[in-house]
């Protein structure tokens, strides 16, 4: 038997497996059923990484869709939001599902897994490193791959969440499984459904409100169903013998629970009774054809240099807060999808401090097959204030960009004066030593978030809730930029030439700030 004798069933419907924060701030593990049943008493899911949190929310949404716990129209969606529709029917549906379909270690239909990998598991199964995305890429740095077989077991709950994350965010590369039996294509790991773009989730004050915000009218999908196992259900899965055509999701439950990887987990029970996963095997999974209108309702589109529109992607050189204006622009301009529904909500009375909703953007930065870091940002949204927030974020980003360019020009002037005889190969390094942008950019993020918060606090009653916060933000950024510029210029060696370089660089920076082409707020004016 693949499953060791005596190893118990492990069912995430009833096992504490998802960390969540209660309204009083305490964190505890909850089962999937408890998350749905207690959604109004929980603030948020709080997993080890942003991507893991998104993957759990995706699966909760899939359960809601599969159970029919979703609005039938945009008008009903609005009433669900304003009236706080109860989601416990999804929990009741989940509890009534067949037990064998929800056993993580079932012999034939293991939850979220592909039991067809079983015949290869003895030879190809490795340690758990390749299951966790944050560790999965590490083996590409080791010539002999020995650490793939390191005995580092995962608790079943951790393995369950890691498997959900692989299905959604798995990055492209080569699987550690040969194609001798299932076919050569099982080794070709395609990018997961969310791996190459920014996923935006609307956050409410409770987990229940978050789920309601991200549910949507599902239309008529009679064959829609939750994916619980590769071999269960009536979906004709792909084979791995040759190239395959992506299949169209049958509906939102199918979409949000799609098996983007073939995974197989091997359990082991400790003397204490705890169930661990000690070995895993990962291969290629489903390929989906995604219709942007139906399947990418949260996507924010940007235009490339050649004029093509594509979903916003994570960038290693540009922080997400610098793209916040694109989210608000989507709310203002979109005719359908998540942002159009958010735009349709009526302004509401302020209840306590802070915005009623937030737009949480999450992406995975990767260097080819090597995951690098999660990038994410949370931006406030209040119904009726999308245009104000767009103006604030757009102007705020432009101001920060202009100041950063001015800092670079000041560094160039200082380097040219201080090191006139520098070799061309060393020039970039000398400029980088004096470039204050690398300290300025991280310092600019918090004032930007405070700017948006102040705009929301100003509310719709204010005649102009943006201009004054923008002036304060601009003054804050200028002070920060001048401080970091002085600190960088202080690195110049003592001497008259260095003093002259400092003076010229500072003068160049102030001239740029006072230039008529600079953003109006830098001159104390309102941009019209």
């Amino acid at each position: 038997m693949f499953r060791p004798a005596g190893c118990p069933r492990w069912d995430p419907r009833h096992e504490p497996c998802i960390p969540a924060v209660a309204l009083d701030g305490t964190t505890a593990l909850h089962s999937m059923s408890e998350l749905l049943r207690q959604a109004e008493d929980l603030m948020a899911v709080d997993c080890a990484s942003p991507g893991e949190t998104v993957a759990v929310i995706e699966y909760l949404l899939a359960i809601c869709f599969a159970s029919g716990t979703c609005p039938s129209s945009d008008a009903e969606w609005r009433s669900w939001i304003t009236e706080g529709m109860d989601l416990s029917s999804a929990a009741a549906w989940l509890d009534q599902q067949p037990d064998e379909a929800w056993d993580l270690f079932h012999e034939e239909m293991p939850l979220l897994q592909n039991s067809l990998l079983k015949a290869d598991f003895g030879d190809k199964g490795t340690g758990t490193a390749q299951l966790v995305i944050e560790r999965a890429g590490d083996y590409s740095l080791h010539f002999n791959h020995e650490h793939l077989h390191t005995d580092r077991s995962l608790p079943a709950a951790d393995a369950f969440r890691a498997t959900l994350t692989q299905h959604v965010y798995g990055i492209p590369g080569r699987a550690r499984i040969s194609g001798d039996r299932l076919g050569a294509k099982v080794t070709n790991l395609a990018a997961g459904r969310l791996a190459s773009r920014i996923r935006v989730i609307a956050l409410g004050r409770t987990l229940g409100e978050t789920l309601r915000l991200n549910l949507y009218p599902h239309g008529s999908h009679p064959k829609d169903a939750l994916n619980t196992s590769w071999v269960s259900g009536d979906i004709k899965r792909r084979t791995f013998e040759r190239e395959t055509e992506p299949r169209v999701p049958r509906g939102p439950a199918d979409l949000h629970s799609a098996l983007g990887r073939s995974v197989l987990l091997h359990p082991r029970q400790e003397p204490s009774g705890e169930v661990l996963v000690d070995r895993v095997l990962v291969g290629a999974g489903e390929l989906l054809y995604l219709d942007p209108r139906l399947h990418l309702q949260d996507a924010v589109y940007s235009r490339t240099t050649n004029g093509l529109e594509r979903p916003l992607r994570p960038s290693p050189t540009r922080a997400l807060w610098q793209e916040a204006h694109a989210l608000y622009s989507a709310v203002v301009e979109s005719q359908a999808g998540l942002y159009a529904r958010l735009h349709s909500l009526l302004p509401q009375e302020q209840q306590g401090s802070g915005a009623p909703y937030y737009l949480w953007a999450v992406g995975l930065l990767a260097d080819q097959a090597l995951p690098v870091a999660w990038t994410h940002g949370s931006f406030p949204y209040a119904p009726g204030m999308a245009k104000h927030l767009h103006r604030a974020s757009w102007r705020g980003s432009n101001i920060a960009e202009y100041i950063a360019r001015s800092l670079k020009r000041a560094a160039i002037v200082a380097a040219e004066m201080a090191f006139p005889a520098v070799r061309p190969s060393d020039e970039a390094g000398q400029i980088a030593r004096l470039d204050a942008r690398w300290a300025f950019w991280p310092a600019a993020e918090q004032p930007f978030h405070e700017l948006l918060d102040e705009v929301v606090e100003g509310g719709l009653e204010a005649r102009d809730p943006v201009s004054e916060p923008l002036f304060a933000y601009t003054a804050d950024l200028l002070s920060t930029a001048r401080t970091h510029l002085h600190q960088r210029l202080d690195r110049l060696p003592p001497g008259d030439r260095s003093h002259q370089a400092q003076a010229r660089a500072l003068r160049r920076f102030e001239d740029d700030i006072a230039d008529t082409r600079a953003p109006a707020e830098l001159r104390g004016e309102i941009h019209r």
Side-chain angles (χ1 to χ4, degrees):
M1 292 178 62
F2 183 76
R3 178 182 190 154
C7 187
R9 294 181 64 256
W10 196 92
D11 186 337
R13 296 178 303 169
H14 308 129
E15 295 283 349
C17 58
I18 308 295
V21 183
L23 296 180
D24 61 4
T26 59
T27 301
L29 289 175
H30 297 265
S31 69
M32 300 292 284
S33 292
E34 287 174 341
L35 286 180
L36 292 166
R37 194 167 280 112
Q38 302 175 22
E40 307 311 322
D41 300 319
L42 298 173
M43 188 182 303
V45 172
D46 185 27
C47 294
S49 71
E52 191 173 274
T53 299
V54 169
V56 168
I57 292 174
E58 287 279 329
Y59 208 59
L60 290 172
L61 292 173
I63 292 170
C64 289
F65 282 119
S67 67
T69 311
C70 52
S72 60
S73 66
D74 286 347
E76 187 176 358
W77 177 86
R78 287 190 293 272
S79 68
W80 276 40
I81 301 303
T82 56
E83 297 171 11
M85 178 69 176
D86 182 31
L87 300 177
S88 60
S89 59
W93 176 89
L94 189 60
D95 290 336
Q96 293 167 4
Q97 297 308 294
D99 289 346
E100 62 270 17
W102 286 87
D103 182 359
L104 194 64
F105 306 117
H106 193 277
E107 280 288 332
E108 301 301 328
M109 302 183 300
L111 181 64
L112 302 176
Q113 298 163 68
N114 184 352
S115 60
L116 300 179
L117 302 183
K118 195 187 305 183
D120 290 320
F121 200 93
D123 296 333
K124 308 301 181 182
T126 68
T128 58
Q130 64 172 313
L131 184 66
V132 183
I133 282 182
E134 292 81 1
R135 295 165 54 201
D138 290 350
Y139 54 65
S140 68
L141 302 179
H142 297 271
F143 177 75
N144 59 11
H145 306 289
E146 277 186 350
H147 90 287
L148 277 176
H149 303 279
T150 300
D151 183 16
R152 181 177 173 183
S153 299
L154 285 175
D158 294 0
F160 169 68
R161 298 194 307 271
T163 302
L164 285 176
T165 311
Q166 277 285 350
H167 286 314
V168 176
Y169 279 106
I171 58 176
R174 299 285 290 179
R176 303 298 164 181
I177 176 176
S178 69
D180 297 342
R181 196 178 60 83
L182 289 180
K185 300 305 179 184
V186 76
T187 67
N188 297 339
L189 302 180
R193 182 167 55 89
L194 302 181
S196 60
R197 73 173 181 93
I198 297 296
R199 170 66 159 113
V200 181
I201 289 181
L203 300 179
R205 295 185 183 274
T206 66
L207 174 60
E209 190 169 44
T210 293
L211 294 176
R212 286 190 291 272
L213 286 166
N214 294 279
L215 290 168
Y216 48 87
H218 58 82
S220 176
H221 300 281
K223 294 185 177 181
D224 191 21
L226 198 70
N227 292 287
T228 53
S229 167
W230 189 273
V231 298
S232 61
D234 62 350
I235 292 178
K236 186 177 181 180
R237 307 282 180 186
R238 64 169 292 194
T239 62
F240 304 104
E241 297 170 354
R242 61 184 64 87
E243 294 287 346
T244 186
E245 290 293 322
R247 71 174 183 86
V248 177
R250 294 184 171 192
D254 181 14
L255 171 70
H256 290 282
S257 65
L259 303 177
R261 287 286 185 266
S262 291
V263 177
L264 193 57
L265 310 177
H266 184 270
R268 182 185 83 234
Q269 187 176 21
E270 293 285 273
S272 63
E274 182 182 15
V275 179
L276 304 176
V277 170
D278 57 6
R279 287 192 300 155
V280 303
L281 189 55
V282 178
E286 289 268 61
L287 297 176
L288 299 181
Y289 173 80
L290 300 179
D291 182 330
R293 184 179 61 85
L294 295 176
H295 307 132
L296 280 72
Q297 295 202 18
D298 66 292
V300 175
Y301 289 88
S302 60
R303 191 175 296 276
T304 63
T305 53
N306 58 3
L308 296 177
E309 278 197 343
R310 67 181 187 187
L312 189 64
R313 298 182 178 184
S315 169
T317 59
R318 190 172 174 85
L320 275 178
W321 66 266
Q322 296 172 256
E323 302 289 354
H325 57 86
L327 276 66
Y328 296 123
S329 178
V331 176
V332 173
E333 298 175 0
S334 293
Q335 302 299 312
L338 171 66
Y339 303 105
R341 289 190 294 274
L342 289 174
H343 192 257
S344 71
L345 291 174
L346 296 175
Q348 52 192 250
E349 291 184 11
Q350 191 78 8
Q351 297 180 354
S353 60
Y357 312 122
Y358 283 83
L359 301 176
W360 186 40
V362 179
L364 176 61
L365 288 170
D367 180 6
Q368 296 181 352
L370 182 68
V372 176
W374 294 102
T375 178
H376 62 108
S378 185
F379 309 101
Y381 176 69
M385 296 201 70
K387 290 184 178 180
H388 296 304
L389 289 164
H390 177 262
R391 177 189 164 202
S393 57
W394 176 251
R395 298 302 301 165
S397 181
N398 284 348
I399 291 164
E401 291 273 10
Y402 186 87
I403 292 175
R405 289 195 298 270
S406 300
L407 288 171
K408 182 181 180 180
R409 285 193 287 263
I412 293 172
V413 167
E416 289 175 347
M417 181 66 193
F419 312 109
V422 67
R423 291 179 298 181
S425 59
D426 296 333
E427 184 178 0
Q430 296 292 5
I431 293 174
R433 284 181 56 203
L434 305 175
D435 192 346
R437 289 180 301 165
W438 316 122
F440 169 76
W441 276 123
E445 181 172 1
Q446 185 58 33
F448 180 84
H449 287 290
E450 292 172 358
L451 163 66
L452 299 183
D453 289 340
E454 288 182 33
V455 171
V456 172
E457 289 291 335
L460 286 170
E461 294 78 13
R463 181 180 178 184
D464 181 0
V466 178
S467 294
E468 288 302 321
L470 262 179
F471 288 145
Y473 163 82
T474 303
D476 193 351
L477 259 58
L478 271 178
S479 176
T480 298
R482 288 177 176 128
T483 297
H484 288 301
L485 179 57
H486 278 283
Q487 290 174 349
R488 290 281 170 159
L489 295 176
D490 285 344
R491 297 182 178 185
L492 289 169
D496 290 343
R497 181 173 291 277
S498 292
H499 290 313
Q500 292 178 24
Q502 284 183 334
R504 287 191 182 184
L506 293 172
R507 185 166 62 249
R508 174 57 192 265
F509 179 77
E510 297 301 334
D511 286 346
D512 277 353
I513 297 304
D515 193 284
T516 56
R517 291 169 294 183
E521 291 83 359
L522 288 169
R523 302 188 304 275
E525 302 171 6
I526 296 177
H527 174 78
R528 299 298 184 186

